[in-house]
Amino acid sequence: MHFFSSLLLAASIVASAHARALETRQSPSVSSWMSAEEPIARSSIFRNIGSSGEFAKDADAGAVIASPSTDSPNYYYQWVRDEAITFKYLLNQYINGNSSLEPLLKQYVSESDKLQRTTNPSGSYQGAGIGEPKFNVDGTAFTGSWGRPQTDGPAIRATVLTKFATMLLDAGETSYVTTYLYDGQLPSNSVIKNDLEYVSHYWTTNGFDLWEEVSGQHFFNYMVQQRALTEGAELATRLGDTGAATYYNQQAAAIKAALPNFWSSSYGYLISTIGTSRDGLDCGTLLGVLHGNGARGFGVYEASSDEALVTLQAMVNSMTPLYSINSASGSPGVAIGRYPADVYNGVGTSQGNPWFICTFTVAELLYTAINQFAAAGQITVTSTTLSFFQQFLSSVTAGTYSSNSNTYATIVAGLKNYADSFIAVGQLHAANNGSLSEEFQRSSGYMVGARDLTWSYGSFLTTKAARDGATAF
Ligand code: NOJ
Ligand code: NOJ
């Protein structure tokens, strides 16, 4: 037998072993896997934070490495987006009472200030340099060619630090906040204000998408930008910077007014990007729904909205036939990648693979929708979502179902099982020791791409929180 055919045979044996394992997996085992994975994911995040983290000794204090992998691929850098998403998780822990994280959060403030002041290929301080997506672990500029600028990172960072600032203000730490976080001056010497100035002035300019591949106008970016500016305006008001508050609110309103341009009535789902070849289904859209709303909600495409739910289903439908592990799965949950035409294989380019982040994000969005239905005390089924909800109750018709009805209970139970079945896919392909890389191979299911990806762990943890009923802030 040729080496290549034996490889294929081996791969199909592995795939069917995986399929058998999945068939026997039920919700309780999803619960227990998630409980076991939680402390592993948490400590894996800390391993990737400088300078005390085991894998990040050479990194600045408060810098988050994307992965310890230094070649094939080299992810030993700090990305503004990944770092902000990581600290968003940690800030959630702080909000939930873990006050021991305060020094680390302040190190993140200092590192963010350092990165902002570092002149880089996107530009310099108090200007276009804030849009630089990636820095060396010691905070120096990465000068190689890259998809730059990226306008989402500063917005997510502003969201995290604005919440931190309001908590510090509540605790009486006014001078720390007005010195390092929000000084109300122009030009500013504080982190949040620089991010907000950047976002409010640059959101209309083209930037690269969160996957760093195409330049254009992106749903994910608009979602996180409108949120950051709305929250930032509240902080500006609280600190007496009322002119800025007005401007940030105006820009947030303009972004919100532009968001419906991403709804394609002909496709029947939200598209990811306007103005480039990449215009379709994308995991980034689901991430935008979550990161652009958080627990509070900003009234735009929340997880429980018709548009979010049908986009999620369209994404699942397009991913199902794409990867051969999905035909073996025998469960409604399937492996989900970044977008259908992806060719990045985790190291170079050939064929794209499913990602842990994207597979978990489908579940996180569904759990978040359940939490929102519970808070509203009802589910409304419309002509747009009818076939989506009929998956869980074939006889359901358009209408509003109160949380004390059988219809509501059946739909919510179905949604929960559906969400769990995506977790089961991640569970199946995770390493036995709980480690998570970036991707898993589309036909063998084995983990590929950057090992111990910080964002994979973060995505798992916020998904678990949503399953437990607590949407991230
Ligand atoms: C690295 C980027 O981070 C990734 O998103 C992209 O797909 C690959 N380069 C291939 O261009
Ligand atoms: C590639 C991903 O496409 C991008 O979103 C991420 O920021 C970097 N890897 C680092 O994890």
Side-chain angles (χ1 to χ4, degrees):
M1 193 182 275
H2 288 299
F3 173 67
F4 189 59
S5 10
S6 8
L7 256 188
L8 279 181
L9 178 65
S12 69
I13 290 169
V14 168
S16 57
H18 278 171
R20 275 194 305 278
L22 190 63
E23 276 160 21
T24 58
R25 215 175 285 279
Q26 300 296 323
S27 300
S29 76
V30 165
S31 297
S32 50
W33 180 72
M34 290 188 96
S35 298
E37 181 69 14
E38 184 170 30
I40 297 169
R42 201 179 141 74
S43 59
S44 300
I45 282 180
F46 283 106
R47 279 192 315 206
N48 288 357
I49 303 179
S51 56
S52 52
E54 183 191 339
F55 294 153
K57 298 273 182 232
D58 299 333
D60 282 346
V64 179
I65 59 166
S67 153
S69 176
T70 53
D71 71 318
S72 304
N74 185 355
Y75 275 37
Y76 194 65
Y77 295 99
Q78 45 179 331
W79 269 264
V80 174
R81 168 183 41 262
D82 297 46
E83 197 157 84
I85 288 173
T86 304
F87 273 100
K88 194 193 244 185
Y89 164 73
L90 294 172
L91 185 62
N92 263 300
Q93 302 290 295
Y94 179 75
I95 292 167
N96 293 337
N98 188 346
S99 55
S100 71
L101 290 172
E102 190 167 317
L104 182 59
L105 286 159
K106 287 182 172 171
Q107 287 174 352
Y108 173 51
V109 173
S110 304
E111 182 65 6
S112 298
D113 181 68
K114 178 174 172 178
L115 299 187
Q116 285 188 340
R117 291 172 195 269
T118 301
T119 299
N120 60 64
S122 293
S124 56
Y125 191 47
Q126 298 160 338
I130 305 295
E132 179 70 359
K134 163 179 163 179
F135 291 83
N136 294 320
V137 301
D138 63 359
T140 57
F142 168 75
T143 53
S145 67
W146 206 250
R148 57 168 70 90
Q150 295 177 24
T151 64
D152 58 321
I156 305 169
R157 180 168 60 195
T159 279
V160 174
L161 295 181
T162 297
K163 179 69 178 177
F164 187 42
T166 57
M167 294 180 74
L168 293 175
L169 287 173
D170 291 346
E173 286 199 56
T174 310
S175 76
Y176 178 88
V177 172
T178 57
T179 306
Y180 300 109
L181 286 169
Y182 196 97
D183 61 3
Q185 304 295 311
L186 273 183
S188 172
N189 281 297
S190 60
V191 181
I192 298 172
K193 178 92 179 160
N194 273 306
D195 280 340
L196 295 176
E197 288 298 311
Y198 178 78
V199 171
S200 58
H201 287 97
Y202 286 84
W203 69 270
T204 53
T205 64
N206 282 353
F208 279 78
D209 69 314
L210 82 165
W211 311 132
E212 320 191 278
E213 295 174 333
V214 291
S215 182
Q217 301 283 306
H218 314 286
F219 179 84
F220 178 82
N221 297 43
Y222 278 22
M223 287 295 286
V224 295
Q225 289 165 341
Q226 59 81 29
R227 176 180 178 180
L229 291 173
T230 304
E231 295 165 326
E234 289 167 0
L235 180 65
T237 301
R238 181 165 176 178
L239 293 172
D241 193 11
T242 50
T246 302
Y247 182 68
Y248 300 154
N249 273 326
Q250 280 167 354
Q251 298 307 308
I255 298 171
K256 281 189 177 186
L259 272 165
N261 297 334
F262 292 89
W263 173 254
S264 165
S265 48
S266 53
Y267 293 153
Y269 53 75
L270 290 163
I271 61 170
S272 61
T273 299
I274 288 170
T276 74
S277 56
R278 174 91 53 78
D279 68 350
L281 288 167
D282 198 301
C283 161
T285 304
L286 309 183
L287 285 163
V289 164
L290 294 172
H291 287 286
N293 281 302
R296 164 177 160 183
F298 290 80
V300 276
Y301 302 123
E302 297 194 30
S304 55
S305 68
D306 286 9
E307 294 89 346
L309 293 172
V310 298
T311 302
L312 177 146
Q313 190 56 45
M315 183 74 183
V316 171
N317 294 347
S318 92
M319 288 286 162
T320 302
L322 203 56
Y323 308 128
S324 61
I325 49 172
N326 287 344
S327 56
S329 87
S331 102
V334 291
I336 305 290
R338 298 192 293 183
Y339 57 94
D342 197 358
V343 292
Y344 178 55
N345 62 22
V347 180
T349 52
S350 59
Q351 286 187 304
N353 292 309
W355 283 43
F356 284 105
I357 297 168
C358 297
T359 306
F360 291 146
T361 295
V362 167
E364 182 173 358
L365 196 154
L366 293 167
Y367 297 133
T368 304
I370 292 171
N371 296 339
Q372 290 170 1
F373 293 137
Q378 61 186 42
I379 289 179
T380 297
V381 176
T382 66
S383 58
T384 307
T385 51
L386 184 60
S387 58
F388 174 77
F389 286 113
Q390 282 176 337
Q391 296 179 87
F392 314 114
L393 181 60
S394 57
S395 62
V396 76
T397 54
T400 294
Y401 301 95
S402 134
S403 56
N404 55 25
S405 66
N406 289 334
T407 302
Y408 178 100
T410 306
I411 289 175
V412 164
L415 280 169
K416 172 95 182 325
N417 284 335
Y418 190 43
D420 282 359
S421 71
F422 289 88
I423 303 292
V425 173
Q427 173 181 358
L428 182 57
H429 301 294
N432 287 336
N433 69 2
S435 75
L436 301 174
S437 63
E438 182 180 72
E439 317 179 5
F440 42 100
Q441 214 277 336
R442 52 160 55 204
S443 51
S444 73
Y446 280 115
M447 296 205 306
V448 287
R451 74 181 169 98
D452 291 304
L453 189 82
T454 316
W455 191 359
S456 292
Y457 295 116
S459 171
F460 167 81
L461 289 162
T462 52
T463 301
K464 178 166 191 308
R467 187 177 191 270
D468 294 340
T471 299
F473 89 87

